[in-house]
Amino acid sequence: MRMTQLLIPTLRENPADAEVVSHQLLVRAGYLRKVASGLYNYLPLMQRVLKKISQIVRDEMDATGAQELLMPILQPAELWKDSGRWEVYGKELIRLKDRHERDCVLGPTHEEVITTIAKNELASYRQLPMNLYQIQNKYRDETRPRFGLLRGREFIMKDAYSFHTSQEDLEREYQVMADAYTRIFNRCGLETRMVQSDSGAIGGNVSHEYMVLTRIGEDEQQSGENDVYHCSNCDYAANANHASSILSPANTTGDKSAAEVVDTPNATSIESLENDFNIPATIILKSLIYIVNEDIPVMVLIRGDLAVEETKLKNSIQDALEIRLATDEEIKDLTGGSAKGFVGPVELPKPIDVIADTSVLELKNFAVAFNQVDKHLVGVNWDADISTPKNVTDIRLAQVGDTCSACKQGTLEMTRGIEVGNIFQLDTKYSKMMNATYADEDGVEKHFVMGCYGIGISRTAAAAVERYHDDYGIIWPLAIAPYHVVVVPVNTEDETQMTLATQVYEQLQAAGVEIVIDDRDARAGMKFKDADLIGFPIRITAGKKAGEGLLEVKMRDQKESQDLTVEQILPFVQQQFETWKPLQQQPAAVG
RNA sequence: CGGGAUGUGGCGCAGCUUGGUAGCGCACCUGCUUUGGGAGCAGGGGGCCGCAGGUUCGAAUCCUGUCAUCCCGACCA
């Protein structure tokens, strides 16, 4: 294509409303324009990148035997009421009414629709297993869209759904998908890590996320990244909302002491107890009150130095849709006049359900508040002073340095990553809710065992920019670049340069190379700046040495350039395709 | 949904405190000179100053309301 005919509106300055690098660069380089908060026009360059990524996804999905179809964005509310998610999904679900006042939704995902297809069209075990996928726009009414394409209200996603007769077959397909995902991201040039995760609103048992690893360790500004914990010894990796760990034991030596009351004026925090009253955080029993579904109070017990992981907590409470910390007034009401910092599981006016983290069981001679302001009990022991909690589970946020719960040898480290894919074992959650069944060998109707597998197409593009850029602009991996090559005639009025540039342009184009000729009557500096900003992997310049028949070839990710003749150009470019290897990351085994 | 900020040609911003007929840089159009890292000179076009009320002889500027956008938090594929 000729640059003069392309819509590539580059900007000299960063847009004022873009915070993260991928957003800034995609707007500046002419890929993206905002329509409204969280909604974007994908300009021609962006569309080409999205098509590249989509095609890689299609190739690999098709290679596994999955079949592509397309389901509607606009869906009837009935389906969502059938699955129960009309109530569960919350405000992120975009709901609207049609002219007949019928409730509708814009699909954030398509489990309901696909399960209906299975229900209606798959009648026999002979048709199973089956894996169906689509690449489609998705809608989520984010409370706060931000980070450009990393969290929009509309995004493009590949979503696949598989149907099976058994858990074993689901697990087989799950591994097939895990391997396909690794190949997909490798081909996109992205290093990913598969991590265990919480399955959230999608539901189900086992789930993993694919994270593009970005910065390591630095405490920089957020950019749509998540914390990823991984083991220094084995290949265990998990999202913060799922990571488990083995704690270094607290001080549990010594004889049991007798409990006594101490005055702790104004000790409303763990730090205060530690600093002002010399009570180590590791022997404090921290008590928090959460309100579940705006209704039911729950007391949460955890060791003083640890933090509650709220997703884990929510998952441990049956039917919990929403949880939050109690307000000061609620604390006062529930504890008979106590206040933050002095809440405890003893001497409550009315009993409150208690959920304890596993960390509290081994506490000995510990300190605890008992709903008396400015007082704590110390030297407390389970059973002797307080009955041991019955509802004990892992609800804590893992800490860097904790012992790995998988291999029990390594320690947990943390890195940051952008989630670009996820895979779930749904089991029979949706098929049961929507009563989707098939006839098995005995003629008995059984619920489909299901899996679902997502890849954020638009998010993957943004993640690639986050991962591959420099001060001058984007550095696309060859496989997902909008064009492979840009030819820059330094001076369009110089006939020698233009002739040579045109010759190369036509030759490469004829050979199937995706190429742009920058035929704008502009200064060389501007063309170079734009080429760097846009991120063409290969730049060919027809300049000073055009008279000698030489062109300057430079790779976007390298500093040096070399001079080649017209005859040498095509072999050189073809060599780049051959030597540009997708990452050779090995697929992970699903644990 | 809580806290904070901002809305002025396509983009980035000044002007607002102290009301008086809207300005700068980039981009755009014309001409000339330039042509290897975002050129120079000359000329030119484009703005209901987010929107709606109000105060005033007069409002981008002051007041009220409203909408939108962004940041922090809560939430999250």
Side-chain angles (χ1 to χ4, degrees):
Chain A
M1 280 295 287
R2 297 183 172 278
M3 198 78 140
T4 48
Q5 296 172 339
L6 288 171
L7 179 62
I8 308 180
T10 59
L11 300 172
R12 187 187 294 246
E13 293 168 275
N14 274 329
D17 56 7
E19 188 74 4
V20 299
V21 134
S22 62
H23 189 192
Q24 290 174 339
L25 286 177
L26 288 171
V27 172
R28 261 192 74 201
Y31 290 76
L32 207 61
R33 286 294 185 268
K34 186 171 70 181
V35 175
S37 181
L39 302 173
Y40 296 90
N41 290 320
Y42 303 132
L43 300 183
L45 285 180
M46 193 74 231
Q47 178 65 359
R48 291 183 70 96
V49 173
L50 295 172
K51 280 168 78 175
K52 292 277 177 88
I53 297 171
S54 299
Q55 196 51 50
I56 291 172
V57 170
R58 276 197 184 92
D59 281 357
E60 295 295 340
M61 289 301 292
D62 290 348
T64 68
Q67 302 167 67
E68 184 171 3
L69 48 57
L70 194 60
M71 293 177 273
I73 294 166
L74 185 66
Q75 303 170 11
E78 280 68 37
L79 288 180
W80 287 74
K81 287 173 181 166
D82 286 349
S83 75
R85 289 207 291 184
W86 179 258
E87 288 80 27
V88 175
Y89 218 98
K91 290 179 186 156
E92 267 104 58
L93 183 63
I94 298 188
R95 300 156 206 255
L96 47 112
K97 285 183 192 291
D98 67 13
R99 68 197 298 164
H100 303 295
E101 293 290 305
R102 287 183 292 232
D103 287 321
C104 300
V105 310
L106 296 184
T109 173
H110 282 71
E111 279 83 5
E112 282 77 3
V113 181
I114 199 85
T115 305
T116 305
I117 292 177
K119 179 178 176 173
N120 294 340
E121 318 302 336
L122 299 179
S124 162
Y125 74 96
R126 294 170 193 275
Q127 294 168 284
L128 301 178
M130 187 167 286
N131 190 330
L132 300 167
Y133 76 96
Q134 66 172 347
I135 294 176
Q136 177 65 293
N137 282 6
K138 305 287 182 185
Y139 297 83
R140 294 184 59 90
D141 197 357
E142 292 286 347
T143 45
R144 190 181 160 205
R146 52 181 153 173
F147 311 134
L149 290 190
L150 291 172
R151 183 168 312 151
R153 289 192 288 175
E154 177 185 82
F155 53 98
I156 303 173
M157 195 160 142
K158 185 282 300 182
D159 48 325
Y161 307 88
S162 66
F163 300 89
H164 309 272
T165 57
S166 67
Q167 174 67 24
E168 291 69 40
D169 196 54
L170 168 61
E171 284 170 15
R172 176 201 54 74
E173 183 73 5
Y174 195 77
Q175 184 66 54
V176 168
M177 287 293 113
D179 293 347
Y181 272 34
T182 303
R183 284 196 300 275
I184 286 167
F185 294 119
N186 282 353
R187 281 182 62 183
C188 290
L190 291 168
E191 186 189 354
T192 53
R193 183 124 193 187
M194 191 178 87
V195 309
Q196 294 180 13
S197 72
D198 175 65
S199 42
I202 307 288
N205 307 320
V206 177
S207 73
H208 290 81
E209 293 176 352
Y210 280 76
M211 315 289 286
V212 172
L213 301 184
T214 49
R215 293 185 292 266
I216 297 169
E218 297 167 52
D219 189 16
E220 286 191 48
Q221 264 189 322
Q222 281 204 359
S223 58
E225 301 167 319
N226 297 334
D227 292 341
V228 178
Y229 293 85
H230 55 93
C231 176
S232 61
N233 180 55
C234 68
D235 61 5
Y236 176 81
N239 217 327
N241 62 26
H242 198 271
S244 64
S245 64
I246 299 168
L247 287 171
S248 49
N251 181 13
T252 52
T253 55
D255 297 329
K256 282 189 180 177
S257 58
E260 58 176 315
V261 174
V262 294
D263 287 326
T264 51
N266 301 318
T268 56
S269 67
I270 299 290
E271 293 88 66
S272 171
L273 286 171
E274 263 198 309
N275 298 333
D276 304 337
F277 303 99
N278 203 27
I279 304 172
T282 51
I283 62 155
I284 297 170
L285 181 71
K286 181 159 70 176
S287 313
L288 303 162
I289 297 179
Y290 276 85
I291 306 294
V292 180
N293 299 346
E294 288 300 327
D295 187 21
I296 308 152
V298 169
M299 181 166 289
V300 175
L301 305 180
I302 192 166
R303 207 172 79 186
D305 58 318
L306 302 173
V308 172
E309 213 303 308
E310 294 193 353
T311 302
K312 288 185 183 178
L313 174 61
K314 192 161 93 175
N315 290 343
S316 73
I317 304 169
Q318 206 171 5
D319 297 326
L321 300 180
E322 196 207 339
I323 59 168
R324 62 169 173 83
L325 277 167
T327 62
D328 290 350
E329 285 91 63
E330 285 166 334
I331 290 172
K332 206 171 173 186
D333 288 350
L334 291 163
T335 59
S338 182
K340 226 177 247 180
F342 302 101
V343 172
V346 280
E347 295 189 21
L348 285 163
K350 270 186 292 184
I352 300 177
D353 282 348
V354 170
I355 294 179
D357 181 66
T358 50
S359 61
V360 306
L361 284 186
E362 57 191 33
L363 285 174
K364 196 171 168 187
N365 298 339
F366 53 90
V368 61
F370 57 104
N371 304 311
Q372 295 284 315
V373 174
D374 293 345
K375 288 185 198 312
H376 278 79
L377 276 171
V378 296
V380 177
N381 288 286
W382 295 120
D383 294 331
D385 307 299
I386 316 179
S387 53
T388 307
K390 293 186 190 76
N391 190 356
V392 181
T393 183
D394 174 10
I395 51 171
R396 67 178 172 274
L397 183 65
Q399 313 276 305
V400 170
D402 285 354
T403 302
C404 172
S405 59
C407 69
K408 301 182 172 43
Q409 289 178 17
T411 55
L412 290 188
E413 296 169 357
M414 195 177 83
T415 182
R416 316 263 301 157
I418 298 169
E419 182 190 348
V420 288
N422 51 43
I423 53 179
F424 297 91
Q425 293 181 18
L426 297 174
D427 204 341
T428 52
K429 174 176 169 170
Y430 291 92
S431 53
K432 276 186 178 151
M433 280 178 163
M434 309 201 57
N435 199 26
T437 60
Y438 64 94
D440 77 358
E441 286 130 309
D442 309 321
V444 178
E445 292 295 319
K446 286 191 175 163
H447 292 105
F448 296 101
V449 176
M450 293 172 58
C452 85
Y453 319 92
I455 289 180
I457 304 287
S458 44
R459 182 182 261 195
T460 297
V465 177
E466 288 290 333
R467 181 67 186 77
Y468 297 115
H469 67 270
D470 61 16
D471 291 345
Y472 301 103
I474 302 170
I475 308 173
W476 289 113
L478 195 54
I480 61 173
Y483 291 91
H484 304 127
V485 179
V486 61
V487 184
V488 180
V490 166
N491 182 353
T492 49
E493 285 171 22
D494 182 314
E495 272 190 36
T496 315
Q497 291 180 12
M498 267 313 272
T499 306
L500 196 62
T502 306
Q503 196 183 340
V504 169
Y505 169 67
E506 287 171 353
Q507 185 193 57
L508 290 183
Q509 193 166 50
V513 176
E514 296 170 25
I515 186 165
V516 170
I517 182 166
D518 194 345
D519 57 338
R520 293 176 298 173
D521 179 21
R523 302 174 71 83
M526 199 182 118
K527 296 185 186 182
F528 292 151
K529 290 280 187 197
D530 272 352
D532 288 347
L533 183 60
I534 293 164
F536 299 101
I538 305 171
R539 188 183 80 199
I540 301 174
T541 307
K544 285 177 197 143
K545 295 175 188 159
E548 305 161 45
L550 289 177
L551 297 133
E552 179 186 287
V553 180
K554 180 181 173 298
M555 304 301 292
R556 176 65 178 87
D557 61 353
Q558 290 169 21
K559 267 198 159 160
E560 310 74 32
S561 61
Q562 53 181 308
D563 293 328
L564 297 178
T565 64
V566 178
E567 291 72 33
Q568 292 172 313
I569 293 281
L570 182 57
F572 174 85
V573 171
Q574 284 169 336
Q575 190 199 346
Q576 298 310 309
F577 283 100
E578 280 157 30
T579 55
W580 190 84
K581 285 225 176 16
L583 294 174
Q584 292 299 310
Q585 199 182 177
Q586 292 305 308
V590 175

